[in-house]
Amino acid sequence: MAAASRARVAHLLKLLQSASCQCPTHSHTYSQAPGLSASGKTTDYAFEMAVSNIRYGAGVTKEVGMDLQNMGAKNVCLMTDKNLSQLRPVQVAMDSLVKNGIHFKVYDDVRVEPTDASFMEAIEFAKKGAFDAFVAVGGGSTMDTCKAANLYSSSPHSEFLDYVNAPIGKGKPVSVPLKPLIAVPTTSGTGSETTGVAIFDYEHLKVKTGIASRAIKPILGLIDPLHTLHMPDRVVANSGFDVLCHALESYTALPYHQRSPCPSNPIARPAYQGSNPISDVWAVRALHVVAKYLKRAIRSPDDLEARSNMHLASAFAGIGFGNAGVHLCHGMSYPISGLVKTYKAKDYNVDHPLVEQISALPGPEMQGLSWQTHSGNSYRI
């Protein structure tokens, strides 16, 4: 029964894939290097797991200066946004850099929900600074902006659309060496500290797209649960639903061996490859954590256990979807969030739209949400 259900889901996704407009970031039905695969197959036969190193612990942000010192960094760019620049997470990071004798400059003009224009402003800052390492302290917008700044300052002669996903950009593989990037997430939703994806609004077409390459993922994610204690309940709820969507979508994505075309060269294999046995492990674990801790994290701001576990769940889901990909929920959100610019949910001055979430209902209104995996396990919030 479970196998039949999964087969029906796969069939539906294949029909949608062939009949609908390709999602430029979350579908990757194109090949970055056209041509027949070496194996002669029309669908892929392999998958590759790529993930940042992760360090978890309450107060672990204070180690970032030592990490940069160990790398031999001499000139560091610390990226954040205007709001966070005044808050404790950034202060802790800067104190660590000062204590360990690291020269750094702060870029705090990151735009929440970045655009191609805001990316290019950060890129220009990075080019002028000639930095040898980057630190991103913030949510997904900050981490994604920092990834883009690192990429294009390391490849200064590239045009902006060179690395942007097709069909909007050229989708070229990244072949240049990048500088070390350490990510310090301050929300529990995007999982960007684990992924090689940077999302932005392409204003000319009023659509969301991104850059997807294993090469741009951070070398280290410092997951410090103390940073989650400042989040309002609605932010916890909304970002928690982001974790839920990432885990569910990656787990139910079209299996990697049913994705087409088969790449002609391993460098052309996309970051988002379809569900696979390793991503499934992380996605299912994230679902367990969400089911157990999300309501507690919303209701009790000082529940460090619940908020710590949701912070971990964000990374778990990021490892899953960062390699498997996501699908309809995120894909359908792109044209909507690309057009909606003025709506702002209460208390939600953070880095991710609400569109792809099943709902943004905090507290007791979330009761009754349930789902079942293809292996037969049931979960309920």
Side-chain angles (χ1 to χ4, degrees), residues 2-331:
S5 297
R6 179 136 185 164
R8 285 196 297 272
V9 170
H11 178 65
L12 174 61
L13 291 173
K14 290 174 81 172
L15 288 176
L16 290 167
Q17 184 183 53
S18 62
S20 62
C21 179
Q22 296 177 357
C23 166
T25 295
H26 292 124
S27 181
H28 286 287
T29 55
Y30 61 90
S31 172
Q32 292 174 314
L36 292 174
S37 70
S39 68
K41 291 179 176 290
T42 57
T43 58
D44 211 340
Y45 61 95
F47 68 91
E48 179 176 341
M49 291 296 294
V51 64
S52 307
N53 292 320
I54 297 296
R55 185 183 304 149
Y56 170 85
V60 75
T61 304
K62 65 179 181 290
E63 296 183 357
V64 67
M66 290 182 278
D67 288 315
L68 292 165
Q69 189 180 67
N70 293 339
M71 294 173 192
K74 304 296 184 185
N75 184 30
V76 174
C77 175
L78 189 154
M79 287 201 171
T80 189
D81 62 48
K82 291 292 187 187
N83 182 48
L84 269 169
S85 67
Q86 307 299 317
L87 300 178
R88 179 167 176 77
V90 172
Q91 189 60 56
V92 173
M94 290 194 299
D95 287 349
S96 180
L97 269 58
V98 170
K99 181 179 179 181
N100 289 277
I102 304 296
H103 177 266
F104 67 96
K105 292 182 180 178
V106 175
Y107 181 83
D108 62 1
D109 285 327
V110 169
R111 175 188 165 110
V112 175
E113 292 301 323
T115 65
D116 52 327
S118 72
F119 265 18
M120 286 189 277
E121 289 172 5
I123 291 165
E124 187 62 26
F125 180 86
K127 286 180 177 179
K128 290 180 178 178
F131 302 109
D132 58 8
F134 292 83
V135 176
V137 183
S141 293
T142 296
M143 291 184 277
D144 289 1
T145 300
C146 200
K147 292 173 188 177
N150 188 10
L151 170 60
Y152 288 95
S153 62
S154 300
S155 183
H157 301 298
S158 297
E159 296 181 358
F160 182 71
L161 289 179
D162 282 352
Y163 297 119
V164 174
N165 296 329
I168 291 173
K170 298 177 183 178
K172 290 183 177 180
V174 177
S175 57
V176 297
L178 271 63
K179 307 299 190 297
L181 191 166
I182 299 176
V184 184
T186 58
T187 57
S188 302
T190 67
S192 187
E193 69 276 8
T194 70
T195 73
V197 179
I199 305 299
F200 65 94
D201 286 334
Y202 188 56
E203 293 184 299
H204 176 65
L205 296 179
K206 294 184 171 63
V207 68
K208 261 192 188 312
T209 184
I211 303 162
S213 170
R214 298 174 190 86
I216 68 172
K217 71 181 187 301
I219 65 163
L220 176 63
L222 296 178
I223 302 177
D224 188 339
L226 296 181
H227 299 332
T228 68
L229 298 178
H230 71 281
M231 293 194 297
D233 58 356
R234 286 179 180 266
V235 175
V236 177
N238 293 331
S239 58
F241 269 110
D242 204 17
V243 177
L244 174 61
C245 287
H246 286 158
L248 281 174
E249 290 177 54
S250 65
Y251 192 66
T252 57
L254 195 68
Y256 73 93
H257 53 79
Q258 295 182 26
R259 299 294 295 270
S260 61
C262 185
S264 58
N265 187 300
I267 198 173
R269 185 166 283 117
Y272 288 175
Q273 305 155 88
S275 64
N276 61 77
I278 301 178
S279 286
D280 284 356
V281 172
W282 295 99
V284 170
R285 180 57 186 165
L287 293 175
H288 275 287
V289 176
V290 169
K292 183 175 182 180
Y293 289 107
L294 179 54
K295 281 198 297 186
R296 278 178 51 183
I298 295 167
R299 291 171 174 170
S300 303
D302 58 350
D303 189 338
L304 183 59
E305 179 187 2
R307 294 206 168 187
S308 297
N309 275 278
M310 285 303 300
H311 213 27
L312 276 175
S314 177
F316 295 163
I319 296 170
F321 91 84
N323 292 280
V326 286
H327 50 84
L328 291 179
C329 292
H330 274 73

